[in-house]
Amino acid sequence: MKKGILLFVFLCLLSIQGALAQFFTVKGNVTSNEDGAPLFGVAVMQRGSTNGVVTDFDGNYTIEIRGIDEAVLDFSYMGYGKQEHKVSAATKVLNVVMQYEVQEIDEFVYVAYGVRKKGTITGSVATVKAEKVENVPTAGFDQALQGQTPGMTVISSSGEPSKAATFQIRGTNSINSGSAPLFILDGVPITASDFNTISPSDIESINVLKDASSTSIYGARAANGVVVITTKRGTSTDKVNVTFRSQWGYSALAHDNWTMMNTAERIQFEKELGLDRGQDYNILSKTDVNWLNAVFNDKAALSSYDLSLNHATDKLNYFVSANFFDQDGIAQGSTFRRYNMRANADVKTNDYLKVGTNSMLAYEEVQQAYEGGYSVDTPISACRFMLPYWNPYKEDGSIASSADGSWKGRGYNPMEAVAYNPQYMKKYKALSVLYAELTPIKNLVIRTQFGVDFTHSTTDMKSYPSFVGNNNSGTAGLAAHDAVNLTITNTINYLFDVKKKHNFNVMLGQEGVDYRSEGFQVITRGQSNDAFTLLSSGTRASSWANSSSSHSFLSFFGRGEYNYKEKYYADFSHGYFAAAV
């Protein structure tokens, strides 16, 4: 009997020890070897299983290992080398330093005011190739850059197809100047509002200059980094290359599993809380509306068509393209449509002179969704507030309204607010760069470049008088804005060597930027008929304003590069910068 008891206790102890060995937790922190900063979004996977986690904003992670005594954890992050580590119950804490890997993408890299050979750049530069941008079905290149470059965060904070993403390179570097980097398109500075005017299929490469060594030549404008965008040139040498590309798709909410009550659940809830006084549930139970599906478009269509021609010879190099892009937003009442044309050409007139142009024309049409405030009348927030037995539509499919009693809910029908408060925007853009390069002697290049960036945009806003919230008094608004940015850049670049060992590259330059804009906005009220909602149809002007702004920028800069037998590299840059507002 005693032997049986001892054997039973021994087996229990073994079972407890085995159970403890079948479960353990490993936690730690993941950082970058470049600057020691924590890495957000590093994938930590248990090899041979689907068990995995990602690091939080501080680079921390915690993972549970079940069923085995030892495991192998794989750490992976874009732009960094993969790592594997064996862990056991004794490990407990495992901190990992990810090793940044420089990816060789192109033979030459476009940087500040020039082109540098791959491997000769001392600063931190990351390159995104054309395929990474043009194969992503988005309105602009900005959204296609998400997750493509280490150290750069790209966030799309809106479902509007016309809204630009926000950029951060290695965090926030300026208190007063925001976090957006400086964007350069073919030598001309652009802003975030221009992203959607550029067809992603026209882009050859995007180079991100991240550290002071790479960006200092631009001065204070580059405090948050520089993104250099280069468009395509001719590549076909034997004959004209004609390319046609088309893309189709649709967008939907990333997370659409909202735990909202349906009609049956809502009725039961009201009865249990005593909220059923005056309710006719026989009628209400016949309506069951999923307001998430009513407000958001679960299959927002997207289509894109590109046609391009390119050819390259000893004397002529050209790339010509046309693009049409059309996308519906996931929010009802939002659309984006773009027409784009581009012509890039280089002509070598003789052995000493080359001239060329990079020119683009674009036209946009945008309809923005009705945003409003955070209330039951605003469609986006109404998804949470509307009850499932409130039907936004009549039996014939038209929009229900409290004006005729067909809307049974409280306040206004959010879908009526969308339909009766449209807002349309149009943009016309022309951007052209002309340049000339003179090579009087070998390895000495004198370049002058002149860029013109013109934008005309209008906004047309209406609020129809038949909308119940307007009390039969409509509103009409019109705004227009014109902006022109002139840029002139002159550079001299000379390469030479001493005894085939000491190699030098010296560049001197000057740049001037002149920006001017003006605009106005007028809002009138008192329109009494939906068919007459022009500015002149109002009885009074409730708001009017005009604005103008201008600033100029002048810089003189220089850069020197040295390498010894293409093994040891050094460079320096210096500049003088002045601005006037």
Side-chain angles (χ1 to χ4, degrees):
M1 182 66 179
K2 293 182 179 179
K3 291 183 179 180
I5 294 175
L6 290 175
L7 179 60
F8 176 77
V9 173
F10 179 73
L11 291 175
C12 287
L13 291 175
L14 287 178
S15 299
I16 294 173
Q17 183 179 0
L20 293 174
Q22 297 297 310
F23 167 79
F24 63 93
T25 300
V26 178
K27 61 182 180 179
N29 183 262
V30 182
T31 58
S32 169
N33 72 314
E34 280 194 300
D35 50 12
L39 294 177
F40 165 65
V42 177
V44 185
M45 295 294 300
Q46 178 185 342
R47 183 174 296 180
S49 72
T50 58
N51 181 30
V53 296
V54 295
T55 57
D56 61 16
F57 285 97
D58 297 320
N60 298 320
Y61 74 94
T62 301
I63 186 171
E64 294 182 353
I65 309 298
R66 295 180 179 273
I68 53 177
D69 298 329
E70 292 184 347
V72 176
L73 297 182
D74 293 323
F75 294 77
S76 61
Y77 191 65
M78 182 169 292
Y80 291 79
K82 294 183 178 180
Q83 294 190 27
E84 59 179 53
H85 296 275
K86 289 184 177 181
V87 294
S88 63
T91 304
K92 295 184 179 179
V93 177
L94 176 63
N95 297 323
V96 177
V97 179
M98 302 293 285
Q99 302 297 314
Y100 175 69
E101 288 186 345
V102 178
Q103 299 178 352
E104 296 183 353
I105 298 178
D106 286 317
E107 188 66 27
F108 292 91
V109 177
Y110 292 90
V111 292
Y113 303 106
V115 180
R116 309 274 285 279
K117 186 179 179 181
K118 179 184 63 178
T120 66
I121 303 173
T122 59
S124 179
V125 179
T127 302
V128 180
K129 296 179 68 175
E131 308 87 74
K132 296 291 186 180
V133 178
E134 63 186 9
N135 290 333
V136 180
T138 58
F141 71 90
D142 52 329
Q143 299 178 40
L145 288 179
Q146 293 180 346
Q148 298 291 344
T149 304
M152 182 171 72
T153 303
V154 184
I155 300 175
S156 182
S157 58
S158 172
E160 292 274 1
S162 61
K163 294 290 187 180
T166 57
F167 287 74
Q168 276 191 352
I169 299 178
R170 293 182 172 177
T172 302
N173 301 307
S174 174
I175 298 176
N176 299 320
S177 300
S179 60
L182 173 66
F183 293 89
I184 303 294
L185 173 65
D186 291 332
V188 176
I190 62 173
T191 61
S193 61
D194 299 325
F195 291 168
N196 285 335
T197 63
I198 306 168
S199 172
S201 298
D202 291 343
I203 295 176
E204 175 64 31
S205 65
I206 299 175
N207 296 285
V208 182
L209 317 183
K210 296 185 286 186
D211 63 355
S213 174
S214 303
T215 63
S216 59
I217 202 168
Y218 284 106
R221 296 182 297 168
N224 296 311
V226 181
V227 178
V228 180
I229 307 161
T230 306
T231 55
K232 292 180 178 179
R233 327 297 297 181
T235 56
S236 176
T237 58
D238 53 349
K239 58 182 179 181
V240 177
N241 184 25
V242 181
T243 303
F244 177 75
R245 290 168 47 90
S246 61
Q247 293 177 321
W248 300 276
Y250 66 89
S251 303
L253 282 175
H255 303 284
D256 58 357
N257 187 21
W258 294 7
T259 55
M260 305 293 290
M261 288 187 290
N262 58 27
T263 296
E265 293 169 338
R266 176 67 190 186
I267 291 175
Q268 181 182 355
F269 171 78
E270 291 180 0
K271 289 180 177 180
E272 290 178 353
L273 268 67
L275 303 175
D276 54 345
R277 181 177 300 177
Q279 299 280 48
D280 189 346
Y281 290 125
N282 292 327
I283 297 177
L284 295 179
S285 61
K286 297 178 181 180
T287 303
D288 192 357
V289 177
N290 185 329
W291 276 93
L292 179 69
N293 295 335
V295 172
F296 289 100
N297 190 351
D298 61 344
K299 289 186 179 180
L302 176 152
S303 61
S304 176
Y305 304 90
D306 293 283
L307 177 65
S308 65
L309 296 84
N310 76 85
H311 192 209
T313 65
D314 294 338
K315 299 293 184 180
L316 176 64
N317 180 315
Y318 66 86
F319 173 86
V320 180
S321 70
N323 168 264
F324 171 73
F325 184 90
D326 189 12
Q327 182 179 6
D328 294 333
I330 58 174
Q332 296 284 0
S334 61
T335 61
F336 174 79
R337 179 174 293 180
R338 178 188 65 223
Y339 303 84
N340 179 285
M341 295 183 65
R342 171 169 292 279
N344 294 347
D346 305 293
V347 180
K348 189 174 182 180
T349 60
N350 52 48
D351 294 337
Y352 308 102
L353 180 64
K354 184 172 73 170
V355 296
T357 181
N358 302 322
S359 300
M360 178 193 74
L361 295 174
Y363 169 68
E364 290 181 358
E365 293 178 348
V366 177
Q367 181 181 0
Q368 278 198 343
Y370 177 68
E371 295 180 348
Y374 188 73
S375 67
V376 295
D377 309 321
T378 303
I380 305 300
S381 59
C383 295
R384 294 285 189 178
F385 300 139
M386 295 294 103
L387 299 184
Y389 48 66
W390 294 346
N391 198 335
Y393 299 101
K394 303 177 184 177
E395 292 183 358
D396 60 1
S398 59
I399 297 176
S401 173
S402 54
D404 58 11
S406 56
W407 169 247
K408 305 301 182 182
R410 301 190 187 99
Y412 312 133
N413 180 0
M415 304 314 297
E416 186 181 15
V418 172
Y420 287 82
N421 294 276
Q423 181 171 313
Y424 303 95
M425 292 179 288
K426 296 180 180 179
K427 177 185 285 189
Y428 304 82
K429 188 174 188 64
L431 192 154
S432 181
V433 177
L434 305 173
Y435 78 89
E437 279 187 1
L438 180 65
T439 309
I441 61 175
K442 184 179 180 181
N443 294 332
L444 175 64
V445 179
I446 303 173
R447 179 186 174 100
T448 182
Q449 176 178 289
F450 178 70
V452 180
D453 182 4
F454 173 75
T455 303
H456 171 71
S457 58
T458 61
T459 301
D460 186 9
M461 179 272 293
K462 300 180 187 299
S463 185
Y464 294 112
S466 60
F467 177 50
V468 65
N470 287 338
N471 295 320
N472 295 318
S473 179
T475 303
L478 181 65
H481 183 263
D482 292 323
V484 60
N485 192 37
L486 305 178
T487 305
I488 184 168
T489 307
N490 301 296
T491 58
I492 301 175
N493 200 94
Y494 185 48
L495 291 82
F496 64 95
D497 64 79
V498 178
K499 297 181 179 180
K500 304 292 185 181
K501 297 180 180 180
H502 305 277
N503 302 292
F504 297 87
N505 185 357
V506 180
M507 187 268 289
L508 299 175
Q510 171 271 330
E511 183 173 71
V513 178
D514 183 68
Y515 172 84
R516 299 179 186 275
S517 70
E518 59 183 16
F520 74 90
Q521 175 181 294
V522 177
I523 298 177
T524 64
R525 301 183 185 276
Q527 286 79 358
S528 58
N529 192 306
D530 287 1
F532 301 99
T533 53
L534 300 175
L535 285 175
S536 56
S537 303
T539 58
R540 66 189 186 280
S542 61
S543 174
W544 57 91
N546 68 302
S547 62
S548 64
S549 65
S550 63
H551 64 262
S552 300
F553 179 84
L554 179 65
S555 65
F556 298 90
F557 49 85
R559 179 174 61 212
E561 304 170 21
Y562 166 78
N563 73 76
Y564 177 72
K565 293 184 177 181
E566 295 188 351
K567 294 182 178 179
Y568 306 100
Y569 297 88
D571 68 22
F572 68 91
S573 58
H574 183 71
Y576 170 80
F577 309 95
V581 179

